Amino acid sequence: MLTSVQVALASTAIALVLGTLMSLALQRYSFFGKNSVNLLVILPIALPGIVTGIALNNAFRGIMGIQACRS
């Protein structure tokens, strides 16, 4: 258990420093690839919603047999 706590504290400290520096860089400076870096930072937050949406779409279309309406 002590090893797990040590690893958790170390990874938290590293994430805190890197996250703070990344947020300051994205907020204050304009640099090449800023939009790509911003996307990579936001992606872990947005990805669970996308995966849930795809899973619900597959469930409705495949399991329940509901077809998409076409216009």
Side-chain angles (χ1 to χ4, degrees):
M1 185 168 146
L2 180 62
T3 304
S4 295
V5 171
Q6 289 173 341
V7 170
L9 288 174
S11 63
T12 300
I14 292 170
L16 180 68
V17 170
L18 290 179
T20 302
L21 293 174
M22 181 71 68
S23 67
L24 288 173
L26 287 173
Q27 181 65 32
R28 293 184 181 183
Y29 303 108
S30 180
F31 54 90
F32 177 76
K34 181 178 178 179
N35 290 332
S36 299
V37 172
N38 193 19
L39 176 68
L40 291 175
V41 170
I42 298 298
L43 193 60
I45 299 168
L47 193 60
I50 294 170
V51 172
T52 302
I54 292 172
L56 286 173
N57 185 26
N58 287 338
F60 286 138
R61 294 181 79 200
I63 298 170
M64 301 176 90
I66 298 173
Q67 296 297 321
C69 62
R70 298 178 188 190
S71 49

